[in-house]
Amino acid sequence: AAAIAVPAMAFAYPTQPITIVVPFSAGGPTDTVTRLVAQSMSAELGQNIVVENVGGAGGTLGAARVAQARNDGYTLLLHHIGMSTAPSLYPNLPFDPTTDFEYVGLVTEVPMVIAARPSLEHETLADVIAWVQAEGEGVLYANAGMGAASHLCGLLFMEAIGTQMTVIPYQGTGPAITDLMGGQVDLLCDQTTNTTNQIRDGSIKAYAVTVPDRLDSLPDLPTPAEAGLPDFSVSIWHGLYAPSGTSPEIVARLTEALQIALADENVIARFADLGTAPSPASDATPEALQAKVVSEIALWGPVIEAAGEFAN
Ligand code: MLT
């Protein structure tokens, strides 16, 4: 008998706009990365992508929102290293980064800079460190809440110099940098995606990058070793997630669209101008992101534990 042609399952996705939740305020580094990638993914997927900023609690409120969202492929999360520091910082975290998400892929890894209000008169990082060690809690350090990248960098900095500053938390480092430029706060360790232009135009001061090699985008900034903090290193990886139970076909289509976006010349150029680069296709995979989330939980747990009160 002739084989009966069975119509292939009509896999139709996406058939409506997609929301990507950014767990920090608009205008910050996570928002910047997301809007660049979303623009390109939207073109590939043929649907609008709406970026929704859900700030609070160092990114954990936004992440929880997506962990509990419908797993239909229309609510995604773009989050960073905070996904893997939160378990050590929040005893009652309302989600589990290792079970409550499907992993689409790694997106980018962004260096940070140690920055200050433009009126700070110190010339070198060594001078700033001596000033902080003298002033202690008289120095106002801005971050985006416990679990933010700016929180982690501040924790590492305060532990490295053995001094507690007064921490001023924001819903994201978009608003934090506005206050830094205005002089309402003294220091902020933030990602180059949110500071490169402000450093170039002098609206904030920067003292060092937080990665072992100087950046082509900010060539005058010393490395931590050159600036007197030899063991200081932190950079902020970002991943794209869907709620647990999202179908493998949808995850695969999202991974494909992410990889196409990360190969987009415009995305590459805009990232380069902001001191970063897209993750390679080999990292923009579910397996690579899942491995990163798990390994980073193991990496940062003891560091946060050892930091004691500097982690608050
Ligand atoms: C952070 O500090 O985690 C981010 O800079 C927050 C943000 O993207 O606004």
Side-chain angles (χ1 to χ4, degrees), residues 23-269:
F24 296 101
S25 311
T30 312
D31 190 61
T32 298
V33 164
T34 303
R35 289 179 194 275
L36 280 172
V37 170
Q39 190 177 6
S40 184
M41 286 184 70
S42 170
E44 166 58 25
L45 291 166
Q47 282 290 345
N48 279 340
I49 295 183
V50 175
V51 174
E52 184 180 348
N53 300 90
V54 180
T60 57
L61 292 190
R65 166 85 71 88
V66 176
Q68 293 143 19
R70 286 162 55 103
N71 53 16
D72 58 6
Y74 293 105
T75 304
L76 308 178
L77 170 71
L78 199 146
H79 193 12
H80 59 37
I81 196 169
M83 183 69 101
S84 291
T85 58
S88 304
L89 293 165
Y90 291 87
N92 304 314
L93 193 64
F95 62 89
D96 181 338
T98 66
T99 57
D100 291 345
F101 297 93
E102 302 300 339
Y103 306 93
V104 176
L106 281 160
V107 175
T108 183
E109 183 149 354
V110 185
M112 303 186 88
V113 296
I114 299 174
R117 57 181 163 79
S119 56
L120 194 66
E121 70 280 9
H122 300 296
E123 283 313 306
T124 66
L125 184 63
D127 297 338
V128 171
I129 289 170
W131 170 64
V132 175
Q133 288 171 327
E135 294 297 321
E137 295 189 337
V139 179
L140 303 183
Y141 176 78
N143 72 19
M146 200 162 67
S150 45
H151 166 260
L152 180 61
C153 187
L155 172 162
L156 296 171
F157 182 70
M158 287 190 280
E159 194 186 27
I161 69 173
T163 307
Q164 177 74 47
M165 298 181 279
T166 295
V167 171
I168 311 292
Y170 292 77
Q171 298 276 307
T173 49
I177 205 156
T178 301
D179 278 4
L180 188 73
M181 290 191 280
Q184 280 75 29
V185 289
D186 299 310
L187 295 179
L188 167 63
C189 182
D190 197 9
Q191 297 171 72
T192 57
T193 33
N194 198 39
T195 52
T196 298
N197 295 329
Q198 293 83 344
I199 293 166
R200 286 178 176 150
D201 70 21
S203 51
I204 62 173
K205 247 182 174 176
Y207 290 92
V209 296
T210 66
V211 289
D213 301 314
R214 289 199 178 211
L215 301 179
D216 296 342
S217 53
L218 292 166
D220 301 336
L221 275 190
T223 64
E226 291 170 332
L229 278 180
D231 302 325
F232 194 85
S233 181
V234 60
S235 62
I236 308 304
W237 53 272
H238 295 64
L240 184 62
Y241 304 84
S244 176
T246 303
S247 77
E249 295 82 4
I250 288 178
V251 173
R253 182 69 183 107
L254 287 168
T255 299
E256 180 186 33
L258 173 63
Q259 291 181 357
I260 289 168
L262 298 181
D264 179 327
E265 290 307 313
N266 177 52
V267 171
I268 294 168

Side-chain angles (χ1 to χ4, degrees), residues 155 159 300-310:
L155 172 162
E159 194 186 27
W300 293 108
V303 174
I304 289 166
E305 189 70 33
E309 85 280 3
F310 294 135

